């Protein structure tokens, strides 16, 4: 929690204003931030200076693991996070590749689970990684990535948290995640949860101990219509102690995550939080 608040304070004090073409808004911006989440110690990075809807963040992660490309599928899992980008993004609504209501196109997990090959066909990046890790193999060339510039025109949004690189060292599994752009008041709150939970799940289904998740953010920003709430509300609150994430131990395989796992298989203990803050969301 402290490292998140330190980043927020750094943006407020040191950030530079940048015009964002996609949203038409200005962003107070810093370049390069590095966050670490200690999964081994159970230090769940859940924001406590406002209420965080952590279940929706995990639902979104499950959708990425399953390769979903429809906002309806994400809603069924328990999150409406893709409704706006699928159905209100003006550029995407005019895109001839959009297949209709709720279609997200080729984005995030839909890319990672079916990564297009230039000679035809696709590669399931996540299955390759899981299969190798279960055999105790650390293949340094395997990255679960959603970043494929050749298919940007086929989706409603370029990926922000775009790559996850797992490393196995002396029986402990680590994760390096890379994010090109982070809406710090809103999106980063979820991204931290997702990096932590992804490592915890991958360690559990491949039979290894979880270590640390290292989260690299290239462009970290606060939108101009979020700044007052961040400065005068969230940053004035004292954080509570970190809660703990409990994952159903019966989750033992990638197939489990693809089929029967729901939000009921995740629980958070000891979560104390300040009241919600309704930050504006930019489509």
């Amino acid at each position: 929690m402290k490292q998140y608040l330190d980043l927020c304070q750094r943006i407020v004090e040191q950030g530079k204003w940048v015009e964002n073409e996609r949203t038409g808004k200005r962003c107070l911006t810093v370049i390069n931030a590095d966050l670490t989440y200690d999964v081994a110690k159970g230090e769940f990075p859940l924001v406590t200076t406002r209420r965080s809807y952590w279940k929706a963040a995990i639902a979104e992660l499950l959708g990425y693991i399953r390769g979903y490309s429809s906002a309806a599928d994400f809603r069924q899992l328990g999150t409406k996070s893709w409704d706006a980008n699928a159905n209100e993004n003006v550029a995407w609504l005019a895109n001839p590749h959009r297949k209709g209501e709720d279609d997200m196109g080729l984005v995030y997990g839909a890319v990672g689970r079916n990564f297009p090959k230039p000679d035809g066909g696709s590669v399931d990046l996540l299955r390759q990684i899981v299969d190798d890790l279960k055999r105790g193999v650390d293949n340094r060339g395997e990255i679960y990535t959603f970043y494929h510039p050749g298919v940007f025109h086929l989706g409603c949004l370029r990926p922000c948290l775009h790559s996850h690189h797992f490393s196995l060292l002396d029986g402990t599994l680590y994760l390096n995640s890379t994010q090109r752009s982070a809406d710090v008041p809103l999106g980063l709150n979820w991204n931290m949860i997702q990096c932590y939970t992804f490592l915890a799940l991958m360690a559990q289904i491949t039979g290894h101990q979880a270590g640390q998740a290292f989260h690299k953010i290239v462009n970290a920003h606060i939108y101009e219509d979020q700044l007052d709430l961040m400065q005068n509300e969230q940053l004035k609150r004292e954080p509570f102690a970190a809660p703990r994430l409990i994952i159903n131990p019966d989750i033992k395989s990638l197939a489990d995550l693809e089929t029967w796992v729901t939000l009921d298989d995740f629980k958070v203990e000891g979560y104390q939080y300040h009241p919600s803050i309704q930050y504006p969301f930019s489509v």
Side-chain angles (χ1 to χ4, degrees):
M1 187 65 219
K2 183 180 184 301
Q3 58 187 337
Y4 172 77
L5 294 175
D6 286 347
L7 174 58
C8 294
Q9 190 67 48
R10 176 187 160 204
I11 295 172
V12 169
E13 293 178 353
Q14 303 175 21
K16 305 297 182 183
W17 286 108
V18 174
E19 298 284 345
N20 183 258
E21 182 178 359
R22 180 177 64 86
T23 63
K25 299 178 183 179
R26 294 189 307 159
C27 303
L28 197 59
T29 304
V30 299
I31 301 301
N32 192 57
D34 292 285
L35 307 177
T36 301
Y37 319 123
D38 199 329
V39 183
K41 294 182 179 178
E43 296 176 353
F44 190 42
L46 186 55
V47 170
T48 63
T49 46
R50 69 177 179 88
R51 186 179 183 184
S52 175
Y53 295 92
W54 60 269
K55 286 188 176 183
I58 291 178
E60 189 176 64
L61 173 63
L62 288 175
Y64 295 161
I65 289 172
R66 294 178 181 181
Y68 285 165
S69 61
S70 169
D73 289 331
F74 280 90
R75 286 198 301 274
Q76 189 171 7
L77 277 174
T79 179
K80 297 180 180 179
S81 56
W82 280 95
D83 286 6
N85 280 308
N87 298 310
E88 299 174 23
N89 182 324
V90 175
W92 179 237
L93 293 176
N95 191 313
H97 297 288
R98 183 174 182 265
K99 297 175 183 177
E101 185 177 0
D102 286 327
D103 180 44
M104 298 157 48
L106 203 55
V107 296
Y108 282 82
V111 173
R113 296 302 306 268
N114 297 278
F115 199 88
K117 297 168 61 179
D119 57 351
S122 63
V123 180
D124 185 343
L125 301 177
L126 184 58
R127 184 168 296 281
Q128 286 187 337
I129 295 167
V130 170
D131 288 347
D132 276 345
L133 290 176
K134 288 181 72 173
R135 295 187 295 114
V137 174
D138 178 6
N139 186 330
R140 292 175 293 182
E142 291 182 342
I143 302 172
Y144 188 46
T145 184
F146 313 137
Y147 203 84
H148 192 327
V151 299
F152 283 169
H153 65 294
L154 301 177
C156 65
L157 184 71
R158 291 179 298 173
C160 295
L161 179 57
H162 60 77
S163 295
H164 301 282
H165 191 167
F166 292 92
S167 300
L168 187 60
L169 185 63
D170 195 25
T172 299
L173 188 64
Y174 298 88
L175 171 62
N176 287 77
S177 296
T178 305
Q179 184 162 355
R180 66 171 181 85
S181 174
D183 176 340
V184 172
L186 283 178
L188 183 55
N189 164 50
W190 280 22
N191 300 141
M192 296 190 300
I193 293 169
Q194 290 166 345
C195 291
Y196 180 103
T197 306
F198 201 11
L199 176 55
L201 285 171
M202 288 288 282
Q204 184 165 310
I205 68 173
T206 60
H208 300 290
Q209 295 294 318
Q212 288 76 44
F214 304 102
H215 186 180
K216 164 75 74 176
I217 302 162
V218 176
N219 182 302
H221 53 265
I222 299 172
Y223 282 99
E224 58 186 330
D225 54 5
Q226 300 170 330
L227 183 58
D228 182 66
L229 290 170
M230 175 59 73
Q231 278 184 295
N232 297 313
E233 288 197 43
Q234 189 160 1
L235 281 175
K236 292 185 180 301
R237 299 173 175 180
E238 286 296 321
F240 295 106
R244 293 185 67 85
L245 176 66
I246 309 300
I247 299 175
N248 184 350
D250 291 334
I251 301 172
K252 299 182 184 298
S253 68
L254 181 56
D256 291 341
L257 292 170
E258 293 170 330
T259 53
W260 59 263
V261 173
T262 70
L263 291 181
D264 291 337
D265 296 293
F266 302 87
K267 292 181 172 51
V268 168
E269 293 182 348
Y271 185 31
Q272 290 182 278
Y273 51 84
H274 289 271
S276 299
I277 298 176
Q278 299 302 314
Y279 282 110
F281 173 68
S282 298
V283 178

